[in-house]
Amino acid sequence: MKLKTKIISSLIITITIVFSLTATLLFFGLKKTFNSESEQKLRAMYLNVLSQKENIQPISLPPAIFVKDTTANLQKPTINKILLQVETENELEEFAVMKGVESINGKHYLIDVKISLVENEDLLATVFIASLIGIILLSLLSLILASKLYDKIMSPFNESIKFLNTFSFKQPAIPSFQETDIAEFKHLQDSIQLFTERILEDLTHLQDFNDMFNHELQTPIAIIQSKLELMMNDGGLNQHLMSLIESSLQSLSRLKSTNKSILMLSRLRQGKSFESTQIDIIPIINTIVSNYEEILSVQNINISTSLKATYFINGNEQLVNVLLSNLLSNAIKYNTFQEIIQITLSDNELQIINSGPILDPMTSAKIFDPFVKSSFNSEGAGLGLAIVKAICNTLNYNISYKYEFEKHIFTLQFFNEYSSRLL
Amino acid sequence: MRILLIEDERELIKALTTYLQSEGYIVISAPTIKQADYEIKTAEYDCILLDLMLPDGNGLTMIPVIQKEQANCGIIVITAKNSLADKVTGLDEGADDYISKPFHLNELSSRIKSVLRRRNYGGKNEIVFNEIKIDTRKHTVTVADLELEITKKEYDILLFFIANINRTITKEQIVEHIWSDDSSCFDNFDFIYTHIRNLRRKITALGGNDYIESVYGIGYKMSVK
């Protein structure tokens, strides 16, 4: 639950408990106070009657005073509460009564004095309700104030969280936070700042490292290649030696290609951002297909395309080229001899479909992982689809694979607000 | 023709120098910017091969100097592979062409000849190889004065061969020359056979000699008979 909810609900519970206790105490406290006051008045009345001494006379002023001579025994006065029906009211009222038998001038007198407690009750009710209202108002005000204050106090914290949520390697930013006088939040801001700076520094180092690593690798490759080519041009070599040189050059070629792929893959995974524009992928697809026309005719493969005249997406041209090229070359590599490869475009998706035997489940599940390749094809490093996936992650496309009706189906979805179809 | 090779890798300098000398060039090398600066200001060159990653700085800084001191000189920038930024900057700064490391020697040879043609031959855009004449501006080929109908790819292949007479050219080199960055799509370069065969047939059909021959299945060679 939210912190605010927790604080407010804890406050409410506490207030309710304290309030209930206070109210109860208040009620009984007040009641006791009023009653003892009434008792005192009652005693005073009794004593007043007693003080008449010789002048005492039987009197009957119901319900307040009742004096009568009596033959009963002396009795110490006691105080009780009773309910009486009073003439002017319809209901029974509560009275406090002090009754005793006293001896005055040698005679016994019954003295009965009463005092009404109704006023007490009214007073109690009024005071109690007033207090209640006061407490409720106070509580409400506190809660509202607490709520508003909370939002203000937590603002730097929320800002920090937002920064963390929106941070992206593609558009890295150094944070600039609002001032806060709360030490904990300031610590949080400082920590985030340091953390961000460190990450960005590491990122730059990693990029430099990758570039330098690549350069260091390319140079010996270039040297080996040059020396082999010089040997090849020597003219004095027989076929056996020439073919040794040629197969060395072929392996070198594969090394070059793998190196290039790894460099691209690591650049993509660093999360660098690539400039995107609106591009029409139809001419790109057509160019790639025509690039492959030799291979397609040698392997007797036909490509059937179902494309619109134009199809614009938001993307980076170089990356999209590599993406589509890798998908198609993959399809060609694994396509069954003489079968058709289909390229279809509909709504938001592009599908490339080739026929072939089913892949084993391990390969199938990890098809977009680097260095994963099918046993049917041992050439190549198995990086083509990994690059495809990395490009999709960079450009916010979605790529998926399934095997259905003996066909390998790769589906590419372009998720972005700029994709549109022009008919 | 004099070539200045601005490159710091010793083994690469040796290999390139051997190769270019066998092509008939005079080759001077400079392994640092400082030394290159000296060479540029004290001698004349027809073409400069400029590696961008030098021990004492980025080779791009040399381009304005070269343009000032050697106005007629062609500049070919050597970049690390996949550095699109380098390629674009290099050409923007005024280089004539770029080549990515690691490159084939024959490819380099072809680029140098191309740059020299553009720079030095002014209005003359013709290459002559016995009965084969190529107009590099119009991109047309004649064999014994008869127009040769060839595709763009075949034209590029022919030009590549002529830039590397008597040298063995592997199939991979041909594919990389024509498809450049896209060449890594291909696992196997045997399909190039069709192009070569068609080219040879077209030339001989017009009465030209068959200069192109296959070399032990590795590649091809165009040689003077």
Side-chain angles (χ1 to χ4, degrees):
Chain A
M1 64 162 75
K2 293 173 85 166
L3 182 59
K4 190 178 190 176
T5 314
K6 189 137 186 111
I7 291 179
I8 300 288
S9 54
S10 300
L11 267 176
I12 290 177
I13 292 174
T14 313
I15 287 176
T16 307
I17 293 174
V18 170
F19 171 74
S20 306
L21 274 169
T22 312
T24 314
L25 284 172
L26 187 66
F27 181 79
F28 288 110
L30 279 176
K31 189 162 187 183
K32 189 155 183 215
T33 310
F34 290 150
N35 284 350
S36 62
E37 250 189 60
S38 299
E39 250 177 57
Q40 275 185 339
K41 283 194 193 150
L42 202 58
R43 283 184 211 277
M45 273 171 71
Y46 193 86
L47 287 175
N48 213 4
V49 168
L50 263 187
S51 65
Q52 301 239 330
K53 290 208 175 140
E54 303 85 35
N55 298 325
I56 198 161
Q57 301 225 4
I59 211 178
S60 175
L61 289 172
I65 298 181
F66 184 71
V67 179
K68 174 176 141 177
D69 43 321
T70 177
T71 51
N73 291 331
L74 287 184
Q75 198 173 343
K76 281 232 158 69
T78 57
I79 299 183
N80 290 309
K81 293 208 184 67
I82 57 170
L83 288 169
L84 283 183
Q85 178 85 41
V86 174
E87 284 165 18
T88 48
E89 305 285 330
N90 274 333
E91 27 176 54
L92 296 171
E93 279 184 22
E94 206 182 20
F95 282 83
V97 52
M98 190 167 177
K99 198 155 74 167
V101 178
E102 305 282 342
S103 169
I104 302 174
N105 290 341
K107 278 171 113 172
H108 286 189
Y109 287 95
L110 172 70
I111 304 179
D112 181 312
V113 288
K114 298 191 189 72
I115 186 168
S116 170
L117 296 176
V118 163
E119 262 184 39
N120 281 1
E121 279 176 22
D122 290 344
L123 196 56
L124 182 65
T126 311
V127 169
F128 185 68
I129 288 172
S131 310
L132 240 137
I133 292 176
I135 293 174
I136 291 176
L137 274 172
L138 188 64
S139 308
L140 268 167
L141 253 147
S142 305
L143 288 172
I144 293 173
L145 195 66
S147 183
K148 289 217 151 45
L149 208 59
Y150 175 87
D151 288 331
K152 186 152 179 274
I153 291 175
M154 291 302 279
S155 161
F157 178 79
N158 290 331
E159 184 195 40
S160 296
I161 297 288
K162 185 171 174 200
F163 174 81
L164 287 174
N165 283 341
T166 56
F167 182 81
S168 149
F169 280 116
K170 294 185 195 153
Q171 278 146 348
I174 301 280
S176 90
F177 293 121
Q178 60 182 262
E179 295 276 331
T180 173
D181 54 359
I182 298 177
E184 286 86 351
F185 293 156
K186 184 82 177 65
H187 287 154
L188 182 63
Q189 288 174 344
D190 291 341
S191 298
I192 292 179
Q193 177 111 12
L194 258 164
F195 180 73
T196 311
E197 280 168 13
R198 239 183 314 132
I199 286 189
L200 292 179
E201 203 181 305
D202 285 347
L203 188 66
T204 314
H205 286 158
L206 189 63
Q207 285 167 350
D208 291 342
F209 177 80
N210 274 332
D211 286 344
M212 298 205 129
F213 175 71
N214 181 57
H215 175 253
E216 287 306 314
L217 223 56
Q218 301 289 23
T219 304
I221 291 176
I223 293 171
I224 295 173
Q225 186 168 270
S226 304
K227 305 275 181 184
L228 283 173
E229 287 180 354
L230 281 177
M231 278 170 71
M232 196 173 62
N233 282 317
D234 185 84
L237 302 178
N238 60 31
Q239 176 164 7
H240 172 64
L241 291 175
M242 285 293 258
S243 75
L244 284 177
I245 294 176
E246 195 226 356
S247 79
S248 305
L249 282 172
Q250 273 182 2
S251 288
L252 202 57
S253 179
R254 189 171 151 183
L255 180 59
K256 275 159 45 180
S257 164
T258 303
N259 195 33
K260 182 176 166 190
S261 296
I262 289 180
L263 181 69
M264 168 159 257
L265 196 58
S266 80
R267 283 220 175 123
L268 288 167
R269 281 176 161 194
Q270 275 163 28
K272 251 175 74 159
S273 72
F274 290 81
E275 211 184 282
S276 280
T277 53
Q278 280 270 75
I279 51 180
D280 184 0
I281 60 170
I282 303 297
I284 297 179
I285 295 176
N286 288 334
T287 309
I288 292 174
V289 170
S290 81
N291 271 344
Y292 282 110
E293 65 189 357
E294 277 86 3
I295 282 214
L296 292 168
S297 73
V298 157
Q299 291 187 15
N300 246 323
I301 297 175
N302 270 320
I303 293 202
S304 116
T305 60
S306 148
L307 306 171
K308 319 278 171 203
T310 59
Y311 189 92
F312 281 89
I313 58 167
N314 198 37
N316 172 286
E317 183 152 355
Q318 190 200 13
L319 291 184
V320 168
N321 234 307
V322 173
L323 167 64
L324 295 173
S325 203
N326 283 8
L327 280 173
L328 186 55
S329 81
N330 204 63
I332 294 174
K333 219 183 287 189
Y334 289 91
N335 196 45
T336 311
F337 190 60
Q338 290 186 339
E339 291 281 342
I340 295 179
I341 292 179
Q342 289 169 284
I343 305 179
T344 62
L345 194 52
S346 67
D347 284 339
N348 246 358
E349 1 179 286
L350 173 74
Q351 279 195 333
I352 296 185
I353 304 171
N354 69 283
S355 342
I358 191 169
L359 300 172
D360 75 80
M362 269 273 278
T363 311
S364 194
K366 295 188 175 175
I367 201 169
F368 293 110
D369 284 2
F371 306 114
V372 165
K373 44 190 186 175
S374 155
S375 51
F376 300 130
N377 189 318
S378 60
E379 287 184 35
L383 291 170
L385 287 180
I387 291 178
V388 162
K389 179 110 181 105
I391 293 179
C392 287
N393 286 344
T394 304
L395 297 178
N396 277 326
Y397 304 153
N398 188 51
I399 183 84
S400 59
Y401 164 78
K402 65 180 176 200
Y403 186 75
E404 233 175 43
F405 311 120
E406 296 189 7
K407 294 207 184 288
H408 300 282
I409 304 173
F410 284 89
T411 308
L412 179 61
Q413 285 166 315
F414 305 104
F415 289 141
N416 46 66
E417 58 211 79
Y418 299 114
S419 70
S420 62
R421 225 170 10 129
L422 299 178
L423 291 169
Chain B
M1 292 276 157
R2 291 169 58 90
I3 294 185
L4 176 62
L5 173 59
I6 307 178
E7 163 67 55
D8 63 316
E9 276 294 330
R10 216 162 40 132
E11 289 302 320
L12 205 51
I13 293 176
K14 272 160 64 176
L16 289 176
T17 305
T18 308
Y19 180 77
L20 292 171
Q21 277 175 348
S22 73
E23 291 268 294
Y25 298 106
I26 297 173
V27 183
I28 307 290
S29 57
T32 60
I33 288 188
K34 191 161 162 222
Q35 215 159 322
D37 193 73
Y38 172 75
E39 291 294 339
I40 289 168
K41 289 175 177 160
T42 56
E44 267 199 34
Y45 295 98
D46 298 285
C47 187
I48 295 183
L49 305 176
L50 176 57
D51 188 329
L52 294 189
M53 292 194 78
L54 294 166
D56 56 347
N58 186 332
L60 283 174
T61 57
M62 291 254 66
I63 295 183
V65 180
I66 299 172
Q67 284 169 329
K68 178 165 169 256
E69 301 287 338
Q70 311 250 355
N72 277 331
C73 183
I75 306 172
I76 298 179
V77 151
I78 302 174
T79 71
K81 222 152 177 99
N82 270 315
S83 181
L84 186 68
D86 276 347
K87 285 181 196 166
V88 169
T89 318
L91 295 174
D92 278 348
E93 292 280 323
D96 292 86
D97 202 353
Y98 68 86
I99 192 168
S100 301
K101 217 193 264 194
F103 48 80
H104 296 290
L105 296 175
N106 293 339
E107 183 62 41
L108 179 64
S109 178
S110 170
R111 303 262 174 136
I112 291 175
K113 294 210 162 90
S114 204
V115 165
L116 288 177
R117 263 202 307 274
R118 271 182 268 152
R119 280 263 177 185
N120 295 339
Y121 296 143
K124 235 170 52 155
N125 288 298
E126 203 183 45
I127 302 176
V128 176
F129 180 76
N130 291 355
E131 68 272 22
I132 302 177
K133 292 200 184 113
I134 303 177
D135 184 327
T136 54
R137 207 161 21 130
K138 291 192 210 142
H139 294 266
T140 55
V141 182
T142 58
V143 177
D145 296 320
L146 296 168
E147 175 113 16
L148 183 67
E149 288 222 14
I150 54 174
T151 67
K152 178 167 196 313
K153 283 181 184 148
E154 287 162 356
Y155 174 85
D156 287 336
I157 293 176
L158 182 59
L159 217 55
F160 192 49
F161 272 121
I162 290 190
N164 291 287
I165 299 289
N166 286 332
R167 302 234 176 256
T168 305
I169 303 177
T170 63
K171 292 175 249 180
E172 186 209 345
Q173 287 171 4
I174 298 175
V175 172
E176 277 197 29
H177 178 74
I178 300 186
W179 277 271
S180 58
D181 288 334
D182 299 325
S183 65
S184 53
C185 318
F186 305 110
D187 283 330
N188 153 325
F189 305 116
D190 290 339
F191 64 89
I192 211 75
Y193 164 75
T194 322
H195 287 286
I196 307 293
R197 183 195 59 186
N198 291 342
L199 181 61
R200 288 164 80 180
R201 275 198 194 150
K202 286 180 183 178
I203 294 176
T204 52
L206 290 185
N209 289 319
D210 190 17
Y211 297 104
I212 300 174
E213 60 184 2
S214 150
V215 178
Y216 298 136
I218 299 170
Y220 303 90
K221 184 158 69 167
M222 185 165 185
S223 45
V224 189
K225 294 263 166 74

